[in-house]
């Protein structure tokens, strides 16, 4: 039986992205150096992020490739959150049910949704 979300995986080009996700409230709890990349596990808000750090990985494309599109985090109020964290956001929109959301991007352009 499925009990909930365990983690999201994201590929980044450098450890600079670690600082971005720490700003969003995730904390590193494990790091594994491999021959071809570094895996960093983070935990926050009841979920994990499995970060693959690989400076040789091809960059994101436009249009987006098939696969995970973004990570979404629930926030109380978008404006308060972005002010508190010092983030630059895209336009604030309404989802399919009328709830407000916007996107921020990590240093590699991976989208993170802030969703009220």
């Amino acid at each position: 039986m499925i009990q909930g979300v365990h983690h999201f995986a994201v590929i980044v080009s450098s450890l600079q992205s670690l600082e971005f996700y720490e700003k969003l409230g995730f904390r590193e709890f494990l790091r594994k150096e491999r021959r071809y990349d570094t895996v960093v596990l983070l935990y926050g808000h009841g979920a994990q992020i499995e970060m693959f750090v690989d400076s040789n990985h091809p960059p994101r494309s436009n249009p987006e490739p098939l696969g995970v599109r973004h990570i979404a985090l629930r926030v109380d109020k978008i404006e308060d959150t972005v002010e508190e964290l010092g983030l630059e956001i895209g336009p604030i929109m309404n989802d399919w049910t009328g709830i407000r959301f916007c996107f921020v991007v990590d240093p590699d352009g991976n989208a993170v949704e802030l969703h009220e």
Side-chain angles (χ1 to χ4, degrees):
M1 174 183 268
I2 297 173
Q3 298 175 357
V5 174
H6 182 269
H7 75 273
F8 301 93
V10 61
I11 300 169
V12 300
S13 65
S14 74
L15 286 172
Q16 181 182 7
S17 291
L18 180 59
E19 185 178 307
F20 174 84
Y21 287 97
E22 286 175 336
K23 188 181 270 192
L24 293 178
F26 291 89
R27 298 291 169 251
E28 177 180 342
F29 69 91
L30 182 70
R31 185 181 296 206
K32 294 285 185 181
E33 302 284 340
R34 301 190 295 182
R35 178 175 43 82
Y36 47 90
D37 69 359
T38 300
V39 179
V40 180
L41 300 183
L42 304 129
Y43 184 80
H45 314 292
Q48 290 183 26
I49 294 179
E50 182 180 30
M51 181 181 296
F52 295 88
V53 183
D54 178 6
S55 61
N56 296 314
H57 200 83
R60 287 188 66 84
S61 62
N62 190 5
E64 300 165 318
L66 294 174
V68 175
R69 188 169 219 175
H70 63 268
I71 296 169
L73 301 175
R74 186 175 299 116
V75 301
D76 292 326
K77 186 173 180 192
I78 292 170
E79 292 86 355
D80 292 347
T81 301
V82 297
E83 182 178 336
E84 176 185 330
L85 300 178
L87 299 173
E88 293 185 29
I89 63 172
I92 296 175
M93 302 169 276
N94 292 321
D95 71 8
W96 311 110
T97 64
I99 306 298
R100 293 174 1 123
F101 74 97
C102 70
F103 287 98
V104 297
V105 294
D106 75 8
D108 290 300
N110 295 303
V112 176
E113 179 181 325
L114 303 178
H115 195 277
E116 294 179 344

